[in-house]
Amino acid sequence: MAAVLAGLLALGGAANSAATEPSVSGLWQKIDGETGKPVGWFLFVERNGHYEGVIAKLFPRPGDPKNPICSSCRDDRKNAPLLGLPLIRDMRRNGLSYQDGNILDPRDGNVYSAMMTVSADDKTLTVRGYLGIALFGRDETWYRLPQSALKEVDPVVIAKYLPGQAKVGPSIGALHQPEITARSTATVR
């Protein structure tokens, strides 16, 4: 009986530990490795056991179109605005890892298999897109943004993907993270 009780307590502790692990849910920033400037912000949400990452904010370069669309996309995202576009779909969580999903390259419309890993300190997200097997892929590192950054996300994106948070406020406690600045991300690279 004591062994059964100890096993149940251990199982409860493991489940509790998984619940407190960092999650991909929230806002992430991709930085251009050459310029050190932001490329975009991505909002991850969980829907029916799958995680989806959408383009939450764009940082256009001079000469970029004002309201870009995914003209190269070949699926349901064809000609959809890039802002709010689901870039990553169907990720399944396994602890800090996310697998079995896909990622869209909006530049050419190609869709690749994808996997992701949230760091144990919840500050970085490694995103890997690949063709066929994961060995033939490329990693990118994205950086967690603080909860306060949500106020800079287009209200249409917030309304669509965080409908309960249409008015961004302190109730999004799960997104509270330390501020990431250009200086601190430069040292991480």
Side-chain angles (χ1 to χ4, degrees), residues 24-26 28 42-46 52-54 88 116 125 142:
V24 73
S25 294
W28 298 87
F42 303 89
L43 176 65
F44 281 87
V45 295
E46 184 269 332
E52 179 174 64
V54 302
I88 296 176
M116 308 181 304
L125 174 67
W142 298 358

Side-chain angles (χ1 to χ4, degrees), residues 35-51:
T35 66
K37 294 182 180 180
V39 173
W41 289 2
F42 303 89
L43 176 65
F44 281 87
V45 295
E46 184 269 332
R47 291 188 177 186
N48 301 319
H50 291 89
Y51 289 81

Side-chain angles (χ1 to χ4, degrees), residues 1-12:
M1 181 71 167
V4 171
L5 183 57
L8 288 174
L9 289 173
L11 181 63

Side-chain angles (χ1 to χ4, degrees), residues 46-68:
E46 184 269 332
R47 291 188 177 186
N48 301 319
H50 291 89
Y51 289 81
E52 179 174 64
V54 302
I55 300 173
K57 185 172 181 174
L58 296 168
F59 294 88
R61 294 171 294 186
D64 283 354
K66 185 175 180 179
N67 296 309

Side-chain angles (χ1 to χ4, degrees), residues 120-139:
D121 66 4
D122 198 30
K123 292 182 181 180
T124 60
L125 174 67
T126 303
V127 180
R128 183 171 190 82
Y130 59 93
L131 189 59
I133 59 173
L135 180 65
F136 300 115
R138 184 174 70 110
D139 285 352

